[in-house]
Amino acid sequence: MAKRDYYNVLGVERGASEDELKKAYRKLAMKHHPDRNPDDKGAEAKFKEAKEAYEVLTDPRKRGAYDQFGHAGVDAAAGAGAGAGAQGFGGFADAFGDIFGEIFGQQRGGRGNGVYRGADLRYNLELSLEDAARGAEVKIRIPTMDACETCHGTGAKPGTKPAQCGTCHGRGEVRVSQGFFSLQQTCPTCHGTGKVVADPCASCHGAGRVKQSKTLSVKIPPGVDQDDRIRLTGEGEAGMRGAPSGDLYVDIGVRAHPLFQRDGANIFVRVPLRMTQAALGGAVEVPTVDGGRAKVTIPAGTQAGDRFRLRGKGFSVLRSAARGDMFVDVAVETPQNLTKRQQELLAEFERESEKSGKSSPESEGFFAKVKEFWDALGR
């Protein structure tokens, strides 16, 4: 199968800077890295494709040949000799190491001392519309890997300490040569921590963390909406052997409400009126999203579909003192299940309406146009 254009692989323009290339590659590597997708061969192929594209486009000599001749130019340059390909590759391997340090949360001291932070966690929190409007403080319980209380996260038996790894000498990485390629990889002995535990803690078996559940209090700011996210720094999984904890991301969902519909910071409520209310006018009380009441004056002759605006009665704007508005949409209800007396009154009302010809101007105007239309056709 023909290779894809390297710029398309990374999703960048042809004139992309080195920083743009690195940012694009980092995003793809994070998404498709085999360690994150152990059972997905497709992800592994995409990871290798992105890696190959990044290698070529961050090497000025290779990028120049690729821009001029495409894949053929790069393949020809690679075949010109191992010496040429190997020149300067150590710097390229260092760039990969830096990127993977960022991807997997590795904090690097100089060229080593790799310490991997704990994994980030996600929690789906569903709120009522009222809580989303006024804000709330919600208790949640999450399963996580937390620091071992016995060894305080070191992984070593109390009274002992982890020792420096003899394989990587505390760097957390080892350099592996494959032909003329030289790559830095996570140390297989200490798994990037730079230390080994000779006498492990009995509670966590040397991991420095244990599986348990913890209860957290999440403050919900007024005005949050569906798919908003709240980040709790350091409340994710504890890192291995004292490494920093990851973060917890709380994804917000908002339940549908039986009365209100939301659009941004504005609130809409549909209020059905009796025919007589709409015709004679008056006042109605409507609920507000914060649980209060608001009075709406209904002018005489109000029509179905008319809308009334209550300023400042909508949602709070997130992290702002501003508030949206509330809109009351009128629906005029035709009476049903009439008593005989009601029927008589309406019949009398209809006769009076026909005499005056002014109580329903839209209806009168429509049927006048219909008559003109038929008259023009001679019908």
Side-chain angles (χ1 to χ4, degrees):
M1 186 174 68
K3 288 184 177 180
R4 289 202 298 153
D5 179 82
Y6 286 145
Y7 292 99
N8 289 341
V9 169
L10 296 180
V12 297
E13 300 293 334
R14 296 191 75 83
S17 66
E18 187 172 342
D19 285 343
E20 290 173 326
L21 292 170
K22 182 176 179 180
K23 183 178 179 181
Y25 174 70
R26 179 182 180 275
K27 183 178 179 180
L28 291 171
M30 180 184 292
K31 181 177 180 181
H32 300 301
H33 194 279
D35 288 350
R36 294 192 172 211
N37 305 275
D39 301 321
D40 189 348
K41 295 297 182 184
E44 182 178 357
K46 290 178 182 178
F47 172 78
K48 290 179 179 178
E49 183 183 44
K51 181 178 178 183
E52 180 180 326
Y54 182 77
E55 173 190 350
V56 170
L57 297 182
T58 51
D59 184 315
R61 180 181 59 83
K62 291 182 181 180
R63 184 173 182 176
Y66 178 74
D67 287 344
Q68 189 170 3
F69 303 107
H71 291 293
V74 178
D75 294 341
Q87 185 176 1
F89 192 80
F92 175 70
D94 290 347
F96 268 118
D98 291 339
I99 286 174
F100 288 125
E102 295 174 13
I103 292 173
F104 294 105
Q106 186 176 12
Q107 297 180 343
R108 305 163 69 88
R111 291 291 309 133
N113 299 324
V115 179
Y116 291 90
R117 68 192 287 271
D120 293 334
L121 298 177
R122 289 184 182 179
Y123 184 91
N124 295 324
L125 177 61
E126 190 175 64
L127 300 172
S128 67
L129 190 70
E130 294 90 337
D131 282 344
R134 60 182 173 237
E137 187 165 344
V138 182
K139 299 284 187 182
I140 63 173
R141 188 166 181 82
I142 57 169
T144 185
M145 298 294 292
D146 212 354
C148 175
E149 295 182 358
T150 303
C151 64
H152 304 290
T154 66
K157 182 179 179 181
T160 66
K161 294 182 178 180
Q164 186 182 82
C165 176
T167 303
C168 64
H169 305 291
R171 291 171 56 86
E173 302 170 330
V174 292
R175 189 176 290 275
V176 179
S177 296
Q178 297 178 353
F180 61 84
F181 291 97
S182 181
L183 300 174
Q184 287 199 168
Q185 297 180 350
T186 301
C187 175
T189 303
C190 66
H191 305 291
T193 64
K195 297 179 180 180
V196 292
V197 177
D199 196 358
C201 169
S203 298
C204 64
H205 308 290
R209 56 185 191 170
V210 292
K211 189 173 184 179
Q212 60 182 29
S213 295
K214 63 180 178 181
T215 300
L216 298 172
S217 181
V218 184
K219 290 185 177 180
I220 308 298
V224 294
D225 203 351
Q226 181 77 24
D227 298 327
D228 281 349
R229 171 176 284 182
I230 297 172
R231 177 182 178 183
L232 301 182
T233 304
E235 296 294 354
E237 287 191 352
M240 293 287 289
R241 298 174 185 170
S245 297
D247 300 330
L248 172 64
Y249 292 92
V250 180
D251 292 330
I252 300 298
V254 181
R255 290 192 294 272
H257 197 277
L259 294 177
F260 302 109
Q261 291 80 44
R262 179 182 182 182
D263 183 8
N266 294 327
I267 286 290
F268 296 82
V269 60
R270 179 179 178 272
V271 177
L273 297 179
R274 295 190 303 276
M275 183 183 70
T276 50
Q277 284 180 296
L280 300 175
V284 294
E285 263 191 348
V286 296
T288 58
V289 72
D290 57 7
R293 302 181 182 193
K295 181 178 286 188
V296 180
T297 300
I298 305 298
T302 292
Q303 300 295 308
D306 283 355
R307 173 175 285 178
F308 301 95
R309 181 177 186 175
L310 303 179
R311 295 186 181 275
K313 295 295 185 179
F315 250 69
S316 296
V317 177
L318 191 62
R319 300 182 181 89
S320 168
R323 288 196 68 164
D325 300 328
M326 178 174 169
F327 295 90
V328 177
D329 292 331
V330 169
V332 178
E333 187 176 20
T334 302
Q336 302 177 32
N337 304 318
L338 300 176
T339 66
K340 186 176 180 180
R341 177 57 180 157
Q342 288 172 323
Q343 292 176 7
E344 291 171 352
L345 290 171
L346 283 177
E348 183 179 348
F349 173 80
E350 179 63 17
R351 288 192 295 271
E352 289 296 321
S353 298
E354 289 176 352
K355 290 179 183 179
S356 68
K358 296 180 180 180
S359 58
S360 301
E362 187 174 353
S363 175
E364 294 290 336
F366 173 78
F367 287 108
K369 291 177 182 178
V370 170
K371 184 177 183 303
E372 291 175 4
F373 174 71
W374 283 335
D375 288 346
L377 296 175
R379 297 182 180 179

